[in-house]
Amino acid sequence: IRYFSELEFENKTISKRIYTQCARALKEDQITEDAQWLGVLYGEKLREHYVADLSIRWIKKDLGHGLFANKGIELHEFVGEYTGLIRRIEESNLYCFAYPGSDFKGYWKHVVDAEKWGNELRYANHSANPNTEARSVFHNGLLHIVIRAIKDIEAGAQITFDYSQSYWDALGKSPDSSI
């Protein structure tokens, strides 16, 4: 896996398209005030490519690796940005996250693909009772996917979020709520 501390684009055409779409979405009020506010709130962390003190650990064969907090994380604390390669949706894999602008009417559909490229956040597993959430934030002309705590997380706890029903529908599976 190639480590990406920030979002990367598959090519210059996609980069230009995404920046253009984000500028248009902002002008058309499609980017929520909440996404803009969170972009300001977490802007420094995004600029610094901050990731909380985490470790990747093996869990078991049918689940693979997981992501764990080495230190406590407080409610609403920024855990990190979900990074990867922004590309067109042509095929999907278990590590694709729909790029936030893809649900705007009339916009090209893209994903953040962390299967072969990304950071620690690609190891966060699904849970029906998660301790973090994925949020779309607008910062420096781009939409980003950030993971933040939705409850206090103790040191040693696994970092989890709800992958959403659309993720499981696309796989043709139901979520394993055992985590």
Side-chain angles (χ1 to χ4, degrees), residues 33-53:
E33 287 182 15
D34 191 49
Q36 293 176 59
W37 179 81
L38 288 170
V40 172
L41 179 67
Y42 297 134
E44 186 175 335
K45 303 259 187 207
L46 286 164
R47 277 189 301 279
E48 294 174 354
H49 314 297
Y50 174 86
V51 176
D53 188 3

Side-chain angles (χ1 to χ4, degrees), residues 26-88:
L26 183 63
K27 184 177 179 181
E28 296 173 353
D29 291 327
Q30 293 189 68
I31 297 176
T32 67
E33 287 182 15
D34 191 49
Q36 293 176 59
W37 179 81
L38 288 170
V40 172
L41 179 67
Y42 297 134
E44 186 175 335
K45 303 259 187 207
L46 286 164
R47 277 189 301 279
E48 294 174 354
H49 314 297
Y50 174 86
V51 176
D53 188 3
L54 306 170
S55 58
I56 300 162
R57 301 181 196 164
W58 178 257
I59 299 174
K60 58 184 177 180
K61 188 176 181 177
D62 62 331
L63 190 58
H65 293 89
L67 191 62
F68 294 82
N70 292 329
K71 295 180 181 175
I73 300 172
E74 294 181 5
L75 173 68
H76 295 143
E77 191 173 328
F78 182 92
V79 177
E81 178 181 9
Y82 190 91
T83 66
L85 185 72
I86 299 178
R87 63 173 180 78
R88 291 278 313 272

